[in-house]
Amino acid sequence: MNVMETDIAVIGAGPAGLSAAIQAARSGAKVLLLDENKAPGGQLFKQIHKFFGSKEHHAGVRGFNIGQELLKEVQRLGVTVMLDTVVYGIYEGLALGVVHQDNHYSIKAKRVILATGGQENYMAFPGSALPGVMGAGAAQTMINVHRVLPGNKILMIGSGNVGLIVSYQLMQAGAEVAALVEAMPQIGGYGVHAAKIRRAGVPIHTSHTILRALGEKEVEGAVIARLDQNMRPVAGSERELSVDTICLAVGLNPMTELAWMTGCQFEAVPALGGPIPLHDHNMQTTINGVYVAGDIAGVEEASSAMEEGNLAGIAAAESLGCLRSDEANAQKDIYLNRLMALRTGPFGEKRRLAKEHLLEAMKHASADRVSS
Amino acid sequence: MSSVDAVVIGGGVIGCAVAYNLAKAGVSVAIVERDDICAGTSAACDTAIHLQSKSPGLHLRMAQESIKLFPELQKDFDEDIHFKKTGTMIAIQTREQNEVMRVFAERQRNNGLDVVILDRAAAVEKQPMMKGDLVGATYCTADATIHPQFLTKGYFQAAKKYGAKAMLHTNVENIALKDGHVASVITNRGNIQCKYVVNACGAYAPFIGKLTGLDIPIAPRRGQIVVTEPMPKFTHTIVNCARYIAAKFRPDLLGTSEADRMGIGLSLTQTERGNLLIGGTREFVGYDTRTTQKALLYILQHAANILPALKDIHIIRTFAGLRPFTPDGLPILGNVPGIEGFVMAAGHEGDGLALSAITGRLITEIICEKQSAYDFDLTKLSLERYKNLDIKAFEAQYAVYK
Amino acid sequence: MEANTAKFICRCQEITEEEIYKAIEDGATTIKGIKDRTEATMGLCQGRTCRRLIERMLPASGEPSRERYSCRPPVRTVKIGDLLKDESSKGEFE
Ligand SMILES: Cc1cc2nc3c(=O)[nH]c(=O)nc-3n(C[C@H](O)[C@H](O)[C@H](O)COP(=O)(O)OP(=O)(O)OC[C@H]3O[C@@H](n4cnc5c(N)ncnc54)[C@H](O)[C@@H]3O)c2cc1C
Ligand SMILES: Cc1cc2nc3c(=O)[nH]c(=O)nc-3n(C[C@H](O)[C@H](O)[C@H](O)COP(=O)(O)OP(=O)(O)OC[C@H]3O[C@@H](n4cnc5c(N)ncnc54)[C@H](O)[C@@H]3O)c2cc1C
Ligand code: FES
């Protein structure tokens, strides 16, 4: 086993991890950036659409290009980037168990920033284990990264941004999208994306769900039905659709396994996708030296992931004495304000409240820690 | 206040086995478990019903009687406990080990266990995956495997079927005595009047002992295990190594390297689903159930040394459990001096699954008949055998409160 | 049960909704309780896929719902050969 040491280890090279690494490296800290994929960028590299959001957040730029820009900066700053690198565990004393290009490492870090992102929610219904039922993210990877179609006729479950964008990308790639179904009475994602789908003539059935997938060996169809106010299927409203692929776009949940391993405290926050590691304004968890940023700290967007990464990178560097606290605070203010700006509007407001709830819970957790 | 004849404290494999036997014998019994069944070591262990790893004598005799009971249990349980006779091979890697194992096997044969020693060629022929670093192996057909959680669940559900009361998430906080006799058990959910209390808390049994002023020499001995992805049939027997036997009974025979101190020894079984369980360690680190990177490395290095084909297989999990270790390797069973109605059923070290069936029987006999139909020397199992042991020295030597 | 009719909550281990409810009836109130009674969450993905769904089926009342998940290394499948492949560690054990 090879043993390595670093000041700051950043796990995950998505927008959060890249931003964290950039900030930490700017302060002069020795930074290692680790990601299991062969290319950095996390979710960004799958996003060939133009981003929404404000100018600071590269609105109008394609996700792919945002990733490239961040990566260039990371390289300019001399961050050691280890790709094709799985962090399989975190052991006592912040020792990471790592397999990098078929070799085994133990990496001892003074600070660890977890930026592992999120993963897709699964949904169970009769037939959901049939081949042909897949996550929308997996479908997106197939078309945007591997350039193959997951199927010819698709039913999309979920009308959040992911469901809408992936549906559109599937159509552009040549597949037919038979319909989108959405359990809620209204569409979950942004109107601009929904409009594109509708213009292409694809129906979005709100207050609907999938009852079961049809088929013997693989998906040959699906039965959908209308839901009443209590979210129960309305008898007689069943409809059969002939499709060969069912894509699930029913939300993401934070990828928190490594965080659980550190022993940090969690709080269940449905609005952010599930149990979230408690953290303060510095993005530090209840374990000293362990930080979180991006979707792992609550599923939001690439833009907020970047700001949280910036905060975590600055705070981790400050805690190592690489930044004076007045310098650090001045910088943190910028990113905190940007985060505030992002968490406005009907979508942002819910997340802002959820995040505030987490910060509040964190205060009590720290109090527990001191008194125990 | 509710009232039963017997309260069994602990919902591990031992507590559930005892409750099952008591309930079946018509005793009114409650299982009181602070968390859930399988919360302790009984879900953090291997799957072996091992005879070959038992020290010849009382230990082996108990295991031999115990293994006979599992087919019967299966008939009485609704759920499959995956009891399967598989046999075991113990890899021998040096000439010195060969000598030790030859003597060990001979003593086992004298005790009616059919163990043979194979040379390298014969061993590899029998177990083609075992073509690594070894000079030979023992082979015994008597050993079996079982599903630890389903076994515990089997006892638990059958106990309920025979009328046992299950009190999960109920923590025993104290035990009230009256005139030197157990009177009631005090829990966070109320008191339970009873005549008997059975301490089946495994590695946690000393804490229950302390409630009544008893010193119980049981130390948590951590074992770490690595789980692989499901595989087609990899090995058709349990595989151990001679170091495993040494680590269990004679750690003094091991060297002084870090791996030796961790008690690295091979245990490999395959579950019904095809996952390989690869062990393990024997460490005295207090009540710490974390896994370590060193153990992962050493366990796999050692295993792949004996079974090189493991290198192409993926691991999916590691876990650790606490064996309830006693100084002489035997469990502590039966009555205790000075407190009428307090019965011990703990300290099974690495053999709790194997010995669960016989333990359930014995404890029930002791409570119902005041004697046992088996001719085991119960004094060798009683807590009283440790009356001259210095508990402070024991706790220090085995890092109980590390 | 057949894939085309069963409602598998745990895909890896093919554990149905019915089996999970049976475990709850037997007293399970936590993911660990379900796991020990059914083998759900013990598959290749180690519960990443099914844990959320099981959690939502657990009785809301009473028992500690904020129990710690038992997350253990490795969080991804890792090849044994890769863990052992490294020159500097040869001889560390034997
Ligand atoms: C279809 C779709 C469209 C979107 N559109 C937009 C948009 O228009 N605007 C916007 O702002 N956001 C958008 N998002 C959201 C955005 O992509 C995510 O919020 C963002 O990528 C989260 O960043 P992150 O750095 O937290 O995680 P990720 O980008 O998910 O990166 C995490 C990285 O960590 C790696 N990793 C995880 N665990 C380990 C481990 N143990 N070892 C090694 N590596 C590990 C992962 O493989 C991954 O590369 C979209 C998302 C989707 C799915
Ligand atoms: C790595 C490893 C591999 C093993 N392999 C094997 C094998 O192959 N074959 C074999 O036969 N054995 C094996 N064992 C040994 C076996 O697992 C144990 O001997 C057995 O599980 C002990 O069972 P138990 O019921 O005594 O203890 P436990 O299962 O630990 O049960 C004790 C219970 O008591 C409860 N409790 C504690 N305090 C209180 C309280 N105050 N109030 C209420 N409840 C309380 C706990 O919550 C716990 O559930 C292995 C052990 C390990 C660690
Ligand atoms: S879906 Fe349950 S373990 Fe993978």
Side-chain angles (χ1 to χ4, degrees):
Chain A
M1 193 166 56
N2 306 285
V3 178
M4 285 172 78
E5 283 183 16
T6 186
D7 288 339
I8 300 177
V10 181
I11 307 175
L18 286 165
S19 305
I22 289 168
Q23 294 296 348
R26 272 189 195 148
S27 77
K30 186 175 163 198
V31 182
L32 254 180
L33 178 58
L34 312 152
D35 195 288
E36 61 194 321
N37 296 294
K38 293 210 161 58
Q43 289 281 347
L44 283 178
F45 272 87
K46 293 196 257 163
Q47 314 309 338
I48 53 168
H49 62 285
K50 293 194 176 135
F51 262 41
F52 40 85
S54 66
K55 192 150 155 269
E56 286 102 13
H57 298 109
H58 316 266
V61 183
R62 294 181 192 278
F64 186 87
N65 299 335
I66 303 171
Q68 290 291 357
E69 277 174 40
L70 291 174
L71 185 60
K72 245 189 259 155
E73 184 64 4
V74 157
Q75 279 161 344
R76 196 183 63 79
L77 288 164
V79 172
T80 310
V81 186
M82 289 171 77
L83 298 172
D84 196 2
T85 301
V86 164
V87 179
Y88 69 77
I90 299 188
Y91 293 99
E92 196 173 359
L94 297 190
L96 310 181
V98 172
V99 171
H100 167 59
Q101 289 166 355
D102 309 344
N103 265 301
H104 192 192
Y105 295 78
S106 174
I107 298 179
K108 224 170 135 16
K110 297 193 184 111
R111 302 288 182 270
V112 171
I113 300 175
L114 299 171
T116 49
Q119 64 200 342
E120 300 194 89
N121 290 343
Y122 168 62
M123 183 184 170
F125 45 84
S128 57
L130 282 171
V133 180
M134 67 178 76
Q140 192 187 37
T141 306
M142 287 175 82
I143 43 177
N144 291 355
V145 181
H146 304 301
R147 309 270 162 206
V148 288
L149 274 183
N152 295 315
K153 224 171 158 199
I154 290 150
L155 171 66
M156 180 67 66
I157 314 294
S159 72
N161 279 326
V162 173
L164 296 171
I165 291 169
V166 175
S167 292
Y168 190 67
Q169 291 175 349
L170 281 164
M171 291 186 295
Q172 283 182 316
E176 178 189 340
V177 176
L180 278 80
V181 300
E182 166 62 55
M184 293 313 213
Q186 69 284 333
I187 290 170
Y190 294 151
V192 277
H193 296 307
K196 277 192 196 165
I197 303 287
R198 286 226 164 99
R199 271 201 301 276
V202 176
I204 303 178
H205 303 294
T206 53
S207 293
H208 270 70
T209 193
I210 178 165
L211 291 184
R212 59 187 171 272
L214 303 172
E216 284 296 320
K217 297 244 162 357
E218 53 188 29
V219 172
E220 288 164 18
V223 177
I224 64 170
R226 193 147 44 80
L227 293 169
D228 66 17
Q229 280 152 332
N230 303 314
M231 303 293 274
R232 274 191 297 258
V234 175
S237 72
E238 296 87 0
R239 223 176 330 158
E240 213 179 292
L241 299 177
S242 155
V243 293
D244 58 19
T245 304
I246 299 169
C247 283
L248 305 178
V250 288
L252 300 178
N253 64 87
M255 189 135 44
T256 50
E257 281 81 6
L258 290 174
W260 284 107
M261 239 173 253
T262 68
C264 71
Q265 286 182 45
F266 278 70
E267 176 93 359
V269 192
L272 295 173
I276 310 283
L278 290 181
H279 57 268
D280 58 19
H281 279 300
N282 286 325
M283 305 309 295
Q284 188 171 215
T285 64
T286 55
I287 301 293
N288 271 328
V290 177
Y291 298 75
V292 287
D295 281 354
I296 185 183
V299 173
E300 293 190 81
E301 298 175 344
S303 35
S304 44
M306 286 183 244
E307 304 309 6
E308 290 192 341
N310 286 328
L311 283 173
I314 293 164
E318 178 191 8
S319 75
L320 287 171
C322 298
L323 277 174
R324 284 201 324 267
S325 60
D326 57 326
E327 295 168 338
N329 285 337
Q331 292 187 35
K332 281 189 258 178
D333 278 346
I334 301 173
Y335 300 112
L336 280 170
N337 283 331
R338 284 208 213 159
L339 267 177
M340 282 291 263
L342 281 170
R343 291 175 184 146
T344 52
F347 290 97
E349 185 68 9
K350 218 166 81 190
R351 297 197 310 254
R352 186 178 63 78
L353 291 173
K355 277 281 183 180
E356 274 168 12
H357 169 79
L358 268 181
L359 286 169
E360 202 47 42
M362 177 71 186
K363 279 187 204 147
H364 300 302
S366 324
D368 284 354
R369 219 175 13 160
V370 175
S371 65
S372 68
Chain B
M1 178 153 61
S2 58
S3 164
V4 292
D5 289 338
V7 167
V8 176
I9 312 175
V13 72
I14 298 297
C16 290
V18 170
Y20 161 73
N21 279 275
L22 283 172
K24 199 171 176 184
V27 178
S28 83
V29 53
I31 306 176
V32 179
E33 162 60 54
R34 67 175 169 193
D35 191 331
D36 193 353
I37 59 163
C38 293
T41 311
S42 302
C45 56
D46 213 322
T47 63
I49 304 289
H50 225 303
L51 299 178
Q52 257 204 100
S53 68
K54 303 297 172 280
S55 159
L58 179 57
H59 201 197
L60 177 59
R61 288 263 337 276
M62 288 175 70
Q64 284 168 315
E65 290 301 330
S66 202
I67 200 170
K68 289 184 197 156
L69 301 173
F70 287 97
E72 233 174 282
L73 290 173
Q74 179 63 84
K75 275 188 221 144
D76 201 20
F77 294 174
D78 294 333
E79 301 250 359
D80 192 350
I81 55 175
H82 301 189
F83 177 73
K84 231 169 45 204
K85 281 261 170 99
T86 51
T88 297
M89 292 179 76
I90 301 179
I92 301 169
Q93 296 185 279
T94 62
R95 297 253 296 284
E96 296 85 74
Q97 286 179 358
N98 204 42
E99 193 45 32
V100 174
M101 289 312 292
R102 203 183 51 73
V103 175
F104 197 65
E106 195 176 298
R107 285 175 57 211
Q108 287 179 320
R109 271 198 302 277
N110 292 339
N111 279 267
L113 188 65
D114 187 19
V115 183
V116 293
I117 296 203
L118 309 174
D119 65 13
R120 190 192 146 85
V124 175
E125 192 187 349
K126 198 148 230 87
Q127 192 84 270
M129 288 299 172
M130 216 161 82
K131 53 167 154 274
D133 175 15
L134 63 151
V135 300
T138 71
Y139 179 56
C140 168
T141 54
D143 299 314
T145 54
I146 200 147
H147 192 304
Q149 293 94 326
F150 288 2
L151 174 64
T152 306
K153 181 176 77 162
Y155 284 127
F156 177 68
Q157 293 183 342
K160 288 195 287 184
K161 180 175 80 181
Y162 290 116
K165 203 166 143 190
M167 301 179 65
L168 302 179
H169 303 283
T170 308
N171 187 37
V172 171
E173 290 170 346
N174 213 341
I175 295 170
L177 306 178
K178 206 175 160 204
D179 308 327
H181 202 294
V182 166
S184 65
V185 169
I186 293 143
T187 80
N188 60 330
R189 301 203 164 182
N191 303 350
I192 314 157
Q193 214 167 25
C194 61
K195 296 205 231 11
Y196 298 96
V197 23
V198 180
N199 179 1
C201 285
Y204 302 90
F207 298 101
I208 298 297
K210 284 203 172 82
L211 300 177
T212 57
L214 287 172
D215 288 332
I216 299 173
I218 290 179
R221 195 184 201 184
R222 182 167 74 186
Q224 301 192 43
I225 291 203
V226 182
V227 187
T228 74
E229 62 190 318
M231 299 288 303
K233 195 113 212 111
F234 187 75
T235 43
H236 60 88
T237 70
I238 302 168
V239 181
N240 289 101
C241 72
R243 293 176 55 89
Y244 174 89
I245 301 297
K248 186 166 176 177
F249 298 109
R250 295 287 307 277
D252 54 298
L253 291 181
L254 299 173
T256 52
S257 75
E258 193 176 23
D260 293 327
R261 276 182 281 121
M262 286 162 67
I264 300 282
L266 174 69
S267 64
L268 183 141
T269 60
Q270 188 161 20
T271 67
E272 206 102 309
R273 286 183 181 272
N275 307 87
L276 302 177
L277 301 181
I278 311 172
T281 63
R282 282 188 140 81
E283 312 158 82
F284 292 108
V285 290
Y287 290 88
D288 181 349
T289 55
R290 284 176 296 185
T291 60
T292 64
Q293 199 180 14
K294 280 269 163 63
L296 174 67
L297 189 65
Y298 293 153
I299 288 170
L300 293 177
Q301 267 178 5
H302 182 47
N305 241 319
I306 294 169
L307 306 117
L310 285 173
K311 288 190 177 147
D312 294 324
I313 298 173
H314 292 80
I315 65 164
I316 64 171
R317 185 159 176 99
T318 53
F319 66 80
L322 303 174
R323 302 182 189 88
F325 164 89
T326 63
D328 60 11
L330 288 170
I332 305 175
L333 307 178
N335 299 314
V336 303
I339 306 171
E340 285 288 311
F342 190 105
V343 181
M344 284 298 304
H348 294 76
E349 218 268 353
D351 311 306
L353 308 175
L355 299 179
S356 63
I358 190 75
T359 299
R361 280 264 174 119
L362 270 179
I363 299 298
T364 302
E365 288 179 344
I366 289 168
I367 288 178
C368 298
E369 334 274 344
K370 312 282 173 223
Q371 60 184 34
S372 169
Y374 293 100
D375 65 344
F376 303 140
D377 180 356
L378 294 182
T379 61
K380 284 191 173 160
L381 300 171
S382 74
L383 179 63
E384 208 169 355
R385 71 186 191 269
Y386 294 119
K387 64 174 180 286
N388 295 323
L389 182 128
D390 177 348
I391 193 79
K392 286 274 170 299
F394 170 84
E395 286 168 359
Q397 183 180 356
Y398 296 109
V400 177
Y401 300 109
K402 190 199 156 191
Chain C
M1 219 187 285
E2 293 302 312
N4 53 2
T5 51
K7 183 169 174 183
F8 291 123
I9 299 294
C10 175
R11 292 178 75 138
C12 295
Q13 305 278 86
E14 305 203 329
I15 307 296
T16 62
E17 187 175 43
E18 196 187 329
E19 289 170 279
I20 309 270
Y21 279 126
K22 221 170 109 195
I24 291 172
E25 216 169 281
D26 190 48
T29 53
T30 59
I31 300 274
K32 165 105 167 70
I34 300 287
K35 163 177 162 173
D36 289 337
R37 287 173 177 85
T38 66
E39 295 190 324
T41 78
M42 292 168 82
L44 262 190
C45 84
Q46 286 292 297
R48 262 195 301 281
T49 312
C50 57
R51 200 164 52 208
R52 279 184 62 261
L53 297 182
I54 297 172
E55 199 162 51
R56 276 192 277 169
M57 295 167 69
L58 293 173
S61 65
E63 301 320 325
S65 57
R66 278 186 55 191
E67 60 144 356
R68 284 201 46 184
Y69 285 136
S70 162
C71 287
R72 303 269 207 176
V75 301
R76 297 285 186 276
T77 63
V78 181
K79 198 160 124 193
I80 292 176
D82 290 348
L83 291 172
L84 300 183
K85 203 190 312 158
D86 156 43
E87 300 314 311
S88 67
S89 69
K90 286 266 167 60
E92 216 169 316
F93 177 62
E94 276 343 277

